Each structure stands twice: as structure tokens, then as C-alpha cells.
Amino acid sequence: MDVPEADRETAARHPIFAALLRRPVTALMLFVLLFVLGAVSYDRIPILLFPKGLSDPEMTVWAEYPNASPHEVSEKVTRPIEDAVRTMPGITRVQSRSSANNARIRVRFSSTTDMDQAYNELSDRLERTKPSFPDEVENVGIWRWNDSEMPIFWLGILYDDDVDDPFGTVEDVIQPRLESVDGVAQVRAWGMVQDSVRIFVTPEKLRSHGVGLYEVVSALRRDNFTLPAGSIEDGGSEFLLRIDSSFRSLDEIRAYPVRTNVQVGDVAEVTFARSYRDQVSRVNGKFSITTVVNKESDENTVDVCRRVTDQLAQLEEDPRLAGYSFNVYFDQSEMIVSALDNLKGSMSWGALFAILVLYLFVRRLATTLMVAVAIPVSLMGAMVAGYFTGF
């Protein structure tokens, strides 16, 4: 390609441009190398609805302090948590709110923070702070949230009224199959009725042993608990202590003494059973269980959603799932593919009009072609930078 003399004079003022003009084969190889690396990066770079770097990850610490005023919550709960949290590395902002009966402390981290490590450290500091809370404080926990970690797939698992043990089928068949999909990190099901230990007390047996119902309940509540017990230091290491006095089997509950020579098993039947249903979800007139799928952080959202869709198609053919069907509420890949298609179309038309306008003003085919080649090469360069920096 012949370069106009005026362009040669302009390039000669810059050593790099001058060197490339003297070595056109080298320049061509650099362009080809950049284009190839860009194509490889474009194929491998994760496709996400919320790419890393667009929003800072954060976690929220919450605590309930029943029957306490906002001032009491602030002084006795919020401030100790803030003091323990502020010195953590990677924190960009700590925002707290103390209300009647509860406290919320919002901790925001930089985009480069390892959130798994930050969660473990925050949990450790929170455990060491708990002994300073009033005894009435309960339900202290951490809620993790990041836009990039939002569920990528929502679906309803519908089942007929005559299906036996639908919750067991979801736990034993559907959830494991979905979790086995490459790139899936977690599958959560809402609306499930879990197994629980049920103690069915027989009034006649209570009367025959001379035991009251309150006496049975008080005995079980008194000795079935777990509590933090402070910490000890040994050899330069600090160990957190916890008292664990919870029941570990049904036989332990049955053999637990209510009074001398009277055990729980003598006055009640102890068994595993499904908890009572306190809410019902239906879709198109059928019972349903809402299920959400989270992907691994660095996986391609579009690819994972397609694998989940393929797995659902295989599950529909499983003879064990007769009477079940799936209703997809939300597929994040559809939003991403639609946005990318619109972006590609706008980018193509924009590049075409830019080249036409440039040619109308410059009236030089060689200069116009160089700009036309520079546009996709620049895009490929951006892909290379994005892929290797992980941003």
C-alpha cells in the first residue's frame, strides 16, 4: 500500500512511526499478531451481565436486639462491630444504620479484594466481638451481595398433586443434576418443606408418669444449646471456644431424662418428619418450587445458562420425574445475547458511516483504508487488555 508523501513526513517526526514505515513487514506482523491475540481473547473472555470492576463488592452485617432503642443498638452493638471491621484490609467504605431492635452495617470492598478471604476474616472478627454484646442480642450474621454474583437462572419446578415426596425428589435428583453442570456454583430451592425432629407427646403417658408437658419442654430447652465460650491463647495462637450441648441423634433425645426414671421416650414418640407447610407456591395452577442457579465467578454466563438449559431438557426425559415440569422465569443469557447483538449492529453501522464520512472529507483511499483497518485492530487491542488484566 502506497503511503502519501505528506503522511510519510508526519510519521517521520515520530521515531516509532518512522521505524514501522521503514519495516512494513514488521508492522504487518505486529498488526496480525494483535489481531490474532484479540480474536483469541474475544473467544475466551467471560461474558457477564455485570463485569468485574463496574461495581464494588460488599457485605452486610446484621444483628437483632429485641426491645432496644436506636441509641442502645448504636452504643452496644453497632459501634463494637464498626471498631472490629474498620481495620480490615481492602475496605473502601463502612456505613451503618441503627434502628429500634436491629443494626445494619454495610461494608464495601475494593474490586480487587478476595471476597472469600474477606468473608472468613469478617466472620472471625464478628465471632470475637459477640461476647461483648448484651445477652439479648440474637440472630447475628453476614449477608454477602455482589452484582456479579446475582443468580443467572430462575426456574419453577412444577409437580402434580399426586406426586409422592416432591421435596425429596428435588433434593436427591434435580438439585444434584443441576449442581453437576460445569460452571454452576450453587443451586438453591425455595418453598421446600425440610425434615425436622418431631416430638409427639402422648397425654395419657404424661399422666401415667406424673409428668407435665411444661416439664418436658423445659428439660429439652435447658440442655440443648450451643454458646460461645470466649477464647484461649496457647503458643502464640488464639483458639475460639464454643460449648456444644446439642442433641446428635434421635436415640439421645429418647434417652434424655425428664426426671428420675422418666425419659423422653417414655412419654413421647420421637421421629423425623416433614415440617408443616406454612406457604404455598403455584404456577399455572400447579404446586411449584422456586429454584435459582448461581455460577462460578469467572465462568461465561451465556455458556453456563446454555448448559443448564440442556440439563433441564435431559431431566424432562428422566422417568423418575414423571409428573414434573420446568418453567423458566429468568435466563440471564438472553439479556446478554440481546445486548451484544444490539452492540454489534450499532458498532458495525457506526464504523461504516465513520469510514464513509472520512473518505468524503479526506478524498484519499489509502488514508481511509488505514483508518478502516485501525478500527477493528483497536477493538482487538482492547479485548487483549481486558482478557489479560481480568477487568
Side-chain angles (χ1 to χ4, degrees):
M1 181 184 299
D2 294 332
V3 180
E5 187 63 29
D7 293 339
R8 289 181 177 273
E9 293 177 0
T10 302
R13 302 191 188 102
H14 303 277
I16 297 178
F17 296 158
L20 292 177
L21 285 175
R22 290 194 301 268
R23 299 176 177 84
V25 176
T26 302
L28 179 61
M29 291 298 101
L30 290 175
F31 270 85
V32 172
L33 176 62
L34 183 60
F35 197 87
V36 171
L37 288 177
V40 173
S41 301
Y42 176 80
D43 181 65
R44 296 184 179 182
I45 196 168
I47 303 176
L48 310 173
L49 184 63
F50 297 100
K52 292 182 179 179
L54 294 184
S55 61
D56 293 333
E58 64 183 37
M59 288 184 282
T60 299
V61 179
W62 51 270
E64 296 184 2
Y65 188 1
N67 304 318
S69 66
H71 179 73
E72 290 177 317
V73 172
S74 176
E75 293 296 325
K76 298 180 180 180
V77 178
T78 305
R79 287 188 181 275
I81 295 177
E82 286 181 341
D83 293 339
V85 166
R86 288 185 185 278
T87 57
M88 287 181 56
I91 290 181
T92 59
R93 184 179 181 183
V94 176
Q95 182 180 8
S96 63
R97 179 174 181 174
S98 302
S99 307
N101 305 324
N102 64 78
R104 295 290 185 273
I105 298 88
R106 185 177 178 183
V107 185
R108 180 169 294 181
F109 298 84
S110 63
S111 58
T112 57
T113 303
D114 185 343
M115 293 305 293
D116 291 333
Q117 181 177 351
Y119 178 82
N120 293 333
E121 184 169 353
L122 183 58
S123 300
D124 178 66
R125 296 193 179 207
L126 191 59
E127 286 294 327
R128 285 183 285 176
T129 308
K130 283 182 180 180
S132 65
F133 294 159
D135 296 337
E136 296 81 5
V137 175
E138 55 188 23
N139 295 331
V140 181
I142 302 173
W143 182 43
R144 297 181 60 176
W145 174 253
N146 188 348
D147 290 337
S148 62
E149 297 176 358
M150 68 177 296
I152 62 171
F153 212 89
W154 293 67
L155 72 147
I157 303 174
L158 284 63
Y159 55 92
D160 297 334
D161 297 347
D162 57 351
V163 169
D164 295 332
D165 192 19
F167 311 113
T169 302
V170 172
E171 293 175 342
D172 300 335
V173 180
I174 299 178
Q175 272 191 279
R177 290 280 294 275
L178 293 177
E179 289 174 345
S180 67
V181 174
D182 188 22
V184 170
Q186 184 184 36
V187 178
R188 291 172 292 166
W190 297 334
M192 302 275 286
V193 179
Q194 302 295 335
D195 281 334
S196 61
V197 176
R198 310 297 296 277
I199 301 177
F200 299 97
V201 179
T202 305
E204 292 77 9
K205 293 181 179 180
L206 288 176
R207 288 193 293 267
S208 65
H209 288 84
V211 178
L213 178 60
Y214 178 77
E215 189 174 357
V216 177
V217 174
S218 299
L220 292 172
R221 180 182 297 171
R222 181 174 58 249
D223 290 338
N224 183 42
F225 62 88
T226 58
L227 289 175
S231 62
I232 60 174
E233 294 185 1
D234 182 23
S237 300
E238 183 179 11
F239 301 91
L240 299 178
L241 302 181
R242 176 174 292 273
I243 299 174
D244 187 357
S245 182
S246 58
F247 296 118
R248 303 185 183 278
S249 67
L250 297 182
D251 291 335
E252 285 188 10
I253 300 176
R254 296 187 185 103
Y256 187 79
V258 177
R259 61 168 57 173
T260 305
N261 299 325
V262 179
Q263 300 176 343
V264 173
D266 297 330
V267 297
E269 179 186 358
V270 182
T271 183
F272 270 119
R274 292 285 180 184
S275 302
Y276 291 117
R277 181 193 292 272
D278 56 3
Q279 60 181 347
V280 175
S281 174
R282 291 180 183 268
V283 176
N284 297 329
K286 288 187 175 182
F287 288 106
S288 69
I289 298 172
T290 300
T291 306
V292 297
V293 179
N294 289 80
K295 71 175 185 63
E296 296 176 359
S297 59
D298 295 329
E299 286 291 329
N300 188 314
T301 301
V302 176
D303 290 343
V304 176
C305 286
R306 288 174 178 169
R307 296 187 200 119
V308 171
T309 302
D310 293 340
Q311 185 67 266
L312 291 177
Q314 297 178 17
L315 285 171
E316 289 179 343
E317 300 176 358
D318 193 323
R320 294 174 296 177
L321 300 181
Y324 291 82
S325 61
F326 303 102
N327 189 321
V328 178
Y329 305 144
F330 172 71
D331 183 347
Q332 195 178 108
S333 65
E334 295 178 356
M335 298 177 59
I336 296 175
V337 171
S338 177
L340 285 178
D341 290 342
N342 292 334
L343 178 62
K344 291 176 183 177
S346 301
M347 184 172 59
S348 301
W349 283 107
L352 177 61
F353 284 119
I355 294 171
L356 290 176
V357 171
L358 181 65
Y359 178 75
L360 292 176
F361 279 92
V362 177
R363 298 287 183 175
R364 291 180 180 177
L365 181 60
T367 303
T368 303
L369 290 177
M370 283 191 291
V371 174
V373 172
I375 292 176
V377 171
S378 300
L379 290 175
M380 292 297 102
M383 290 292 174
V384 173
Y387 176 71
F388 285 101
T389 60
F391 185 79

